[in-house]
Amino acid sequence: MDVRFTTAGDTAFNVEFGEGIDRPTNARVMALHARLKAAALPGLVETVPTFRSLQVVYDPALTSRSEVQAAVEAELAHAADAPLEGTLWRLPVCYDPDLGPDLAELSASLGLSEDRLIDLHGSTEYFVYMLGFMPGFAYMGDLPPELEKPRRSEPRLRVPAGSVATAGRLTTVYPWESPGGWHLIGRCPVPLYDGARPSPVLLAAGDRVRFEAVDRARFDSLTAEAATGRFDPDTLRAAP
Amino acid sequence: MITPCLTVVRPGLFATIQDLGRFGHQELGMPVAGALDPIALRLANALVGNPPGAAGVEVVLLGPALKVEADGVRVAVVGPMALSVEREGQPPQPLEPHRSHTLTRGDVLKLGAVSGAAVAYLAVAGGFALEPFLGSLSTYVRAGIGPLGGKPLGDGGRLPLNRNDAPPGADVELPEPPDYGGGPVRVVLGPQDDRFTAEAVQTFLSADYRVGKDADRMGLRLDGPTLAHTGSADIPSDGLVTGSIQVPGNGQPILLLNDHQTAGGYAKIATVISADLPRVGRLSPGGTLSFRAVTVEEAEAIRRRQEQTIAAWVRAIRPVRPAGGVDLEALYAENLVSGVVDIVNGNGDILNRENMCGSCP
């Protein structure tokens, strides 16, 4: 598909690379994002990567749509489509039933055993397509097709922070207690948002994630470690 | 010495610290937040000699009462708000908005009800001694982000001040309250107007909408005729801006304000132009509005004219004239003070800083 520009008022426009949620389309989004971050165009406020489009935010008091779009088109001609090699994270997750209250229902409706569901969830290296909804909320794909199930029809008003969840072909870890309609299958003891860190958000768009099952004792000790602020998230980086 | 501060005697309904927004971190899912009415904040700052992007207190509907715990402080309120000061041993004295006031230790500044608009702003000369987070002092209450623990002003809380005294010079005023104009709110269609029927777009641009009771800093639910999508209301989540008008499957539009999430999955029929954001930021439940479409080029021209108007308002700031007749002291003060104001404008300080902030919505 050709690149398409859509308009979000006089402060932003979107550069759309496709219609669907897939890695090649997202790679083009991330390549232009990286390119524009480095270019630091005058009047450009920021760029926000999403699944299939890049939102370009500018200050209309300083520049104009036509100027910014021309500069973006020039960068587009040079943006490589090579997928970004983000950080690979190993995130612990405990799949105990009280931490994953939808595990039983989800596995039954998918016709899988709970163990098989857990194995499948941990068998994939996920890709962070984008962040949004709340600070640090990562939309990760692609879930194995056997685990695909639309969002719950009745969203929960309170999903506990750290909940590991699935919806459609996506998975996530809720960084905050918040409302949410995804299926909760476990809990990650590592805070994905920590305002005390230089970058408060652990995962970035373009990163990759592997979930590693831990037992309750390990979950509890990691939770306690994180609560004291002694936990070093760098220990979760996989060796390159 | 105890840090100079304003102590919160009564918190008001929902008062938060806001500047012009936390831009540059939406890729982390970090909302922009910032003042719902950035023009009012900029003018309040101009009245106390601050750069336009300094943080002030955003007051929603009913304001706080603040006790001065400093040798002196100069404050200004912009917005249609009743306010007064209580000095020990004296009856409460009403104060005017749209001008600065010099207060002394022990004074209690009482901000009352905001009328005809949801928000008003309090600025203090020298600004608040608060720690920016990711480059901004804006508060995003949903995730507890920003100064004061990311919370609204609370009982007994303290707003630390950068100055322990009021700056020299007389108090100043805006000759008139700022007039933002009326008429339909101007929008640019898109980014997904092609996902609505032609009739729905026509309806959107001709109907009257009323702000529903679900209205907060995140957005306004609008009650009015439903808008039909050509297909599904859902799209792969893409970026949102302040002023995005998304329409979920029920066909009722939601106008997103400053605390909007960074991305969303509902088709957006149109986007409010930046020059009209202060107007929609002042709407509260029960308010009505209609929409008119303009092009991006028209929106940009409107915004440029608006920036000139704001600059003219700032230039028109003058020493306070007492009610009735010429006052020699005021004339004398005007010579001195308008000189100060001219220096600030003349070297482009206010205007340049305005531009440098790079974050004006």
Side-chain angles (χ1 to χ4, degrees), chain A residues 4 6-10 12 19 33 37 45-46 50 53 55 59-60 62 64-65 130-136 176 193 195, chain B residues 23-29 133 143 145 190-191 194-195 236-241 261-263 271 274 296 300 303 358:
Chain A
R4 177 169 172 246
T6 60
T7 301
D10 61 338
E19 276 296 314
H33 175 57
K37 252 183 135 160
V45 174
E46 62 179 315
T50 61
S53 67
Q55 178 169 270
D59 185 343
L62 298 182
S64 68
R65 163 68 179 269
M130 62 177 281
L131 277 78
F133 174 58
M134 295 206 93
W176 307 82
Y193 179 96
Chain B
F23 285 89
H25 306 281
Q26 290 192 82
E27 66 176 289
L28 306 179
F133 177 70
I145 283 165
D194 57 348
R195 287 183 174 256
S237 286
D238 71 355
L240 298 170
V241 298
Q261 65 276 35
T262 56
T271 312
S274 63
V296 172
E300 288 172 347
R303 174 64 188 272

Side-chain angles (χ1 to χ4, degrees), chain B residues 2-3 49 76 82 85 92 129 147 187 198 218 223 259 273 280 301 315 322 333 335 344-345:
Chain B
I2 297 166
T3 316
V85 65
V187 297
M218 195 165 182
D223 297 332
D259 283 0
I273 69 171
V280 297
R315 278 195 305 275
N335 278 335
V344 172
N345 286 330

Side-chain angles (χ1 to χ4, degrees), chain B residues 192-215:
Chain B
Q192 285 99 27
D193 54 314
D194 57 348
R195 287 183 174 256
F196 294 85
T197 63
E199 192 192 356
V201 174
Q202 195 53 47
T203 301
F204 171 72
L205 293 174
S206 56
D208 287 331
Y209 284 92
R210 180 180 292 273
V211 179
K213 62 176 172 24
D214 289 336

Side-chain angles (χ1 to χ4, degrees), chain A residues 54 63 66 89 97 111 125 134 156 167 201 215 219:
Chain A
L54 185 70
T63 183
S66 58
W89 300 94
E125 187 177 292
M134 295 206 93
R156 281 188 175 80
V201 166
D215 62 18
F219 174 84

Side-chain angles (χ1 to χ4, degrees), chain A residues 98-118:
Chain A
D98 60 321
L99 302 175
D102 294 333
L103 191 62
E105 194 189 318
L106 183 66
S107 58
S109 71
L110 293 170
L112 301 167
S113 71
E114 290 180 22
D115 285 346
R116 178 70 184 139
L117 189 154
I118 292 165

